[in-house]
Amino acid sequence: MSAIEQKQVTADEAGMRLDRWFKAHYPGLGFGRLQKLLRTGQVRVDGKRAESNTRIAKGQTIRIPPLGVELPADDKKNARPKSTKLIADDRKAIEDMLLFEDNHVMVLNKPAGLAVQGGSGLKRHLDGMLEAYTDRKGNKPRLVHRLDRETSGIILVARTRQAAQELTKAFRHRNTRKIYWAMLAGVPKPFQGRISTFLARNEGEERMQVARQGDDDAQHAVSLYSVFEKSGQKLSWVTMKPVTGRTHQLRAHAAHIGHPIIGDDKYFNIENWELPGGIQNRLHLLARRIVIPHPSGHGQIDVSAPLPPHMQQTWNLLGFDATDYDPEVDDPDDSLNKR
């Protein structure tokens, strides 16, 4: 793109954060580059300066300066169409992930290692795979939220624009209950707790770091945790709830309290710590369960995901039984969420 463009926000994009809007339209645009464009006023919304967390509204105009990135996600003019076989493969892969499906929503069990959205050098990602479900009118299912590439578990996909709006609204108003399972190094004390910090992106290392209120791009982040089972003082099975939804929030918070998640290549910060034999050095973080109002306005969605193979292996080695945890019973840290 070599000239300034003006794009209008569509109805199904209403309520999105500005940075996520750019991620959806221009996956090749780095976070640091976008922040610089925002700080210098080159990106504007309805002619006014904006921030990465600005919520956009239907009909607003976004000013887009020359970005120097390749093909935007919504520009299909020069894109090579997918082969029939690749579309069939993508559809089969998504069918294998399905935990729940109706005319409004799909709940998927994303495997560890699969990226949710495209980025530099990524040829296959969930957002692209969803094109296999595009209907005759050109409507494609929409991602409602994201998971880190190495995090496995539940992810919601809206099948209609209205469903996307309602689910996004539920996330924005925190009418969503998200529960994660993690294996941590050591045992947090107290066994139940609330972690509250400000987080900002460390652009050089592509990770989040604890920051001070008022620092550039610093956002308040709150997580709840509860130790469910432990193996001596070496490892602990912990349930975690993100009250806010910041990038890498649970991973950064676990490291912040001195008990990083096993297999976390970005945040594991304990020197000379040895991984117990038989446990794979892969991220032990599962988006276990989600409870959210159904976008139709009737009832709610309540779905749980099983442990991925590498975490199941760890549970077996430690003698932990995931069936001991009844997903229908309130979580032991639920009272913390009511403070």
Side-chain angles (χ1 to χ4, degrees), residues 9 13-22 35 38 43-46 48-57 60 62 172 219:
V9 177
E13 295 170 338
M16 287 181 69
R17 285 170 48 121
L18 185 59
D19 55 356
R20 291 176 182 168
W21 184 91
F22 269 93
Q35 292 305 303
L38 289 166
V43 169
R44 292 177 177 253
V45 177
D46 281 349
K48 299 178 181 179
R49 286 178 176 263
E51 298 181 356
S52 59
N53 61 353
T54 296
R55 298 285 178 178
I56 55 179
Q60 286 186 319
I62 300 177
R172 187 166 66 247
Q219 294 181 308

Side-chain angles (χ1 to χ4, degrees), residues 214-317:
D215 286 354
D216 286 348
D217 305 322
Q219 294 181 308
H220 190 216
V222 178
S223 303
L224 309 175
Y225 74 86
S226 178
V227 176
F228 188 75
E229 187 70 82
K230 58 191 180 74
S231 177
Q233 295 299 311
K234 186 75 171 180
L235 298 167
S236 55
W237 166 11
V238 174
T239 64
M240 303 188 78
K241 290 182 181 179
V243 178
T244 53
R246 312 306 180 202
T247 300
H248 294 181
Q249 177 177 315
L250 297 181
R251 298 166 65 181
H253 273 171
H256 174 66
I257 63 172
H259 300 281
I261 299 173
I262 299 301
D264 193 336
D265 63 351
K266 290 184 181 295
Y267 295 93
F268 201 96
N269 53 6
I270 304 177
E271 292 185 8
N272 302 319
W273 193 90
E274 293 185 5
L275 191 69
I279 295 178
Q280 296 184 49
N281 191 23
R282 300 182 63 187
L283 185 65
H284 280 56
L285 180 63
L286 167 70
R288 164 66 178 177
R289 181 184 178 193
I290 194 163
V291 183
I292 188 170
H294 195 282
S296 66
H298 303 289
Q300 65 181 13
I301 298 168
D302 185 349
V303 183
S304 297
L307 288 168
H310 70 283
M311 290 180 67
Q312 184 64 67
Q313 178 182 351
T314 299
W315 261 240
N316 292 343
L317 286 168

Side-chain angles (χ1 to χ4, degrees), residues 107-339:
V107 182
L108 306 180
N109 179 21
K110 186 191 81 68
L114 176 64
V116 171
Q117 291 181 307
S120 178
L122 279 177
K123 293 183 178 179
R124 198 168 194 234
H125 50 84
L126 183 57
D127 192 37
M129 294 166 68
L130 286 170
E131 292 179 12
Y133 277 78
T134 302
D135 63 23
R136 293 179 179 179
K137 296 181 180 180
N139 297 316
K140 170 191 158 187
R142 297 164 172 81
L143 293 166
V144 179
H145 62 123
R146 294 181 291 178
L147 288 178
D148 297 340
R149 183 174 181 176
E150 296 305 324
T151 301
S152 60
I154 288 176
I155 193 159
L156 285 176
V157 177
R159 303 199 71 162
T160 67
R161 290 185 179 183
Q162 183 178 359
Q165 290 174 340
E166 293 302 318
L167 291 170
T168 299
K169 188 186 301 181
F171 273 94
R172 187 166 66 247
H173 294 162
R174 298 182 185 173
N175 294 329
T176 306
R177 186 178 178 204
K178 293 181 291 182
I179 300 167
Y180 287 72
W181 284 0
M183 184 66 68
L184 304 189
V187 182
K189 292 182 180 178
F191 289 162
Q192 294 183 356
R194 181 177 186 270
I195 309 167
S196 176
T197 70
F198 283 83
L199 295 176
R201 185 178 295 269
N202 183 323
E203 296 181 14
E205 299 183 13
E206 296 183 352
R207 63 194 296 272
M208 305 300 288
Q209 60 186 13
V210 173
R212 296 181 179 179
Q213 184 176 5
D215 286 354
D216 286 348
D217 305 322
Q219 294 181 308
H220 190 216
V222 178
S223 303
L224 309 175
Y225 74 86
S226 178
V227 176
F228 188 75
E229 187 70 82
K230 58 191 180 74
S231 177
Q233 295 299 311
K234 186 75 171 180
L235 298 167
S236 55
W237 166 11
V238 174
T239 64
M240 303 188 78
K241 290 182 181 179
V243 178
T244 53
R246 312 306 180 202
T247 300
H248 294 181
Q249 177 177 315
L250 297 181
R251 298 166 65 181
H253 273 171
H256 174 66
I257 63 172
H259 300 281
I261 299 173
I262 299 301
D264 193 336
D265 63 351
K266 290 184 181 295
Y267 295 93
F268 201 96
N269 53 6
I270 304 177
E271 292 185 8
N272 302 319
W273 193 90
E274 293 185 5
L275 191 69
I279 295 178
Q280 296 184 49
N281 191 23
R282 300 182 63 187
L283 185 65
H284 280 56
L285 180 63
L286 167 70
R288 164 66 178 177
R289 181 184 178 193
I290 194 163
V291 183
I292 188 170
H294 195 282
S296 66
H298 303 289
Q300 65 181 13
I301 298 168
D302 185 349
V303 183
S304 297
L307 288 168
H310 70 283
M311 290 180 67
Q312 184 64 67
Q313 178 182 351
T314 299
W315 261 240
N316 292 343
L317 286 168
L318 298 177
F320 295 164
D321 186 355
T323 62
D324 287 344
Y325 185 97
D326 184 350
E328 299 304 319
V329 176
D330 281 346
D331 289 276
D333 60 346
D334 191 55
S335 61
L336 291 169
N337 207 15
K338 299 174 183 176
R339 289 184 177 179

Side-chain angles (χ1 to χ4, degrees), residues 39-95:
R39 285 197 299 269
T40 56
Q42 296 181 66
V43 169
R44 292 177 177 253
V45 177
D46 281 349
K48 299 178 181 179
R49 286 178 176 263
E51 298 181 356
S52 59
N53 61 353
T54 296
R55 298 285 178 178
I56 55 179
K58 176 186 175 182
Q60 286 186 319
T61 300
I62 300 177
R63 178 189 187 274
I64 306 158
L67 300 178
V69 297
E70 296 181 358
L71 181 72
D74 60 349
D75 183 356
K76 305 296 182 182
K77 294 179 182 178
N78 299 315
R80 181 179 298 175
K82 285 189 176 182
S83 69
T84 303
K85 182 180 183 304
L86 186 54
I87 291 174
D89 289 347
D90 285 348
R91 192 176 185 94
K92 176 63 167 59
I94 290 176
E95 288 174 353

